[in-house]
Amino acid sequence: MRRVEEAFRDAGVTGWLHAVDLDSGREVSVRGDEPVVLASVYKVPVLVAFHRQAAAGLLDRTAPVTLRPDGRTAGPTGISAMLDEVRMSLRDLALLMMTVSDNAAADAVLARVGLDAVNKAMADLGLSRTHIAYDGRDLHATLLEDGGVADLGELWGRLDEPGMLARLRVLDPARTTRSTPREMTRLLAMVWNDEAAPPEDCAQMRRMMGLQVWPHRLSSGFPYDDVRVSGKTGTLPTLRNEIGVVEYPDGGRYAVAVFTRSPLPLAVLPQADAVIGTAARLAVGELRR
């Protein structure tokens, strides 16, 4: 789609997009079948696997989990950023994983579900190109190892060194957690159509994604009180992503997956965030035409 390509170019990023009308099946694609790095978008497959296991009676979603400060996965939000011991249920950890992209909560849920079980769930749903390689703790360790640094602050300060970005496995879809934009919209479609898990579980997943707090990417393309956007972002150095579903008051429902890569190793790049909303708006507008 030419206008989406132009938006990506104007923002100075390479972009990948897939959007689909959940009722008619009409679609828009810009490199939608190419592999992309999921970053924290991987938490959506984890959520689906969690609910499938809970529905099958393989885990208790209300089981309490204690997370101590000395053993939690690092991150800037939620429990990851807290100083004291936290105790809450698995389902509330899943809520934090989705609403504020809490890494500590995500790793606690993933530890209970199991990495192999998440990948099996994706395979069982027909998403053969979706693969979760590791949890947040291992991703963090991989970043530091590949960068030869002591912490993420040092890594960000050295990202512009020659060859640094190429060394980071987490930025290469062949060597990290990955999928395609089309498979991510397919996963969203199964959640919204009650096919990914029993209806009550899919309803809970939709609720969690609807409570995500970040308005600066996908939601920015739909600044209307009567349009609902439910999504999950993902961020790594040079990468900014979001997948989600846009729902209109007339009943129109559109799953959108947008993945971007910038050549600039900057932590703050507003145009790269904003183009996710712009590209989604253009794609959904085409589907509604």
Side-chain angles (χ1 to χ4, degrees):
M1 184 178 173
R2 181 179 56 82
R3 294 178 67 197
V4 171
E5 287 276 33
E6 290 175 351
F8 286 142
R9 184 171 61 250
D10 291 345
V13 303
T14 301
W16 297 259
L17 173 145
H18 190 263
V20 62
D21 184 322
L22 295 182
D23 299 299
S24 73
R26 291 185 62 217
E27 61 181 9
V28 171
S29 181
V30 176
R31 294 178 287 278
D33 292 308
E34 293 185 9
V36 291
V37 175
L38 288 182
S40 279
V41 172
Y42 90 92
K43 293 165 184 172
V44 179
V46 172
L47 183 71
V48 170
F50 167 74
H51 277 276
R52 287 168 67 89
Q53 285 197 1
L58 299 176
L59 59 78
D60 177 3
R61 67 191 80 207
T62 65
V65 178
T66 299
L67 298 178
R68 296 179 174 83
D70 58 350
R72 295 199 293 248
T73 304
T77 60
I79 295 169
S80 291
M82 296 178 186
L83 299 177
D84 299 317
E85 182 174 288
V86 173
R87 181 178 173 88
M88 64 174 58
S89 67
L90 276 171
R91 65 181 176 186
D92 283 343
L93 289 169
L95 179 72
L96 287 178
M97 171 179 78
M98 299 304 296
T99 56
V100 298
S101 204
D102 185 332
N103 291 335
D107 277 5
V109 174
L110 181 53
R112 190 63 59 93
V113 173
L115 189 62
D116 290 343
V118 176
N119 286 320
K120 184 178 186 303
M122 296 302 100
D124 289 346
L125 292 172
L127 306 178
S128 61
R129 302 183 66 190
T130 299
H131 176 73
I132 312 305
Y134 31 57
D135 63 10
R137 183 190 304 276
D138 287 343
L139 184 149
H140 182 267
T142 298
L143 269 173
L144 302 186
E145 177 186 344
D146 291 349
V149 297
D151 55 48
L152 289 181
E154 183 183 355
L155 179 67
W156 275 106
R158 295 177 55 189
L159 283 177
D160 58 355
E161 292 182 4
M164 175 63 84
L165 292 175
R167 295 203 304 269
L168 302 181
R169 281 170 284 173
V170 301
L171 304 184
D172 180 359
R175 300 186 289 166
T176 192
T177 292
R178 60 190 174 272
S179 186
T180 68
R182 185 187 299 274
E183 287 208 350
M184 286 295 96
T185 60
R186 177 60 187 139
L187 183 59
L188 291 172
M190 287 187 277
V191 172
W192 257 255
N193 290 327
D194 294 338
E195 298 168 349
E200 58 270 25
D201 285 276
C202 286
Q204 284 301 313
M205 289 189 269
R206 295 193 293 269
R207 169 180 169 268
M208 290 184 193
M209 294 185 70
L211 293 173
Q212 182 185 231
V213 302
W214 317 123
H216 62 308
R217 291 183 180 167
L218 196 59
S219 294
S220 69
F222 307 91
Y224 315 109
D225 288 343
D226 58 352
V227 177
R228 179 178 179 83
V229 180
S230 307
K232 181 69 197 76
T233 63
T235 309
L236 281 170
T238 72
L239 305 181
R240 294 165 178 85
N241 312 324
E242 187 163 359
I243 70 170
V245 172
V246 181
E247 298 175 271
Y248 279 74
D250 62 7
R253 306 180 304 155
Y254 311 91
V256 187
V258 186
F259 296 81
T260 72
R261 181 187 296 268
S262 168
L264 302 176
L266 301 176
V268 179
L269 197 61
Q271 65 268 32
D273 290 315
V275 76
I276 293 175
T278 300
R281 174 177 51 79
L282 291 170
V284 169
E286 180 66 22
L287 293 175
R288 288 177 62 79
R289 191 172 297 175

